Amino acid sequence: MVATLGLARWVPVLSDVAIAAFGMAFIIAQVLIVVWVMSVVAWVVITVRSVKR
């Protein structure tokens, strides 16, 4: 019973932590996608320029 009460007390905290972690992961994923797209675009531009030469 005590363990259940302790667990119930931690559930809101854990849900808040999970939401915060999910938000951070979402932001990090967006940043990684942007960086990846930029690197791909830069690689394509460099490749096209070197081919034109």
Side-chain angles (χ1 to χ4, degrees):
M1 190 66 186
V2 175
T4 308
L5 284 172
L7 194 64
R9 193 187 305 148
W10 279 104
V11 166
V13 177
L14 288 175
S15 64
D16 284 348
V17 169
I19 290 165
F22 184 76
M24 282 295 297
F26 187 71
I27 291 165
I28 291 167
Q30 280 187 324
V31 170
L32 285 175
I33 289 165
V34 169
V35 169
W36 182 78
V37 169
M38 283 173 63
S39 66
V40 168
V41 169
W43 181 77
V44 168
V45 168
I46 290 166
T47 305
V48 168
R49 281 185 180 176
S50 63
V51 166
K52 278 183 179 178
R53 282 178 194 169

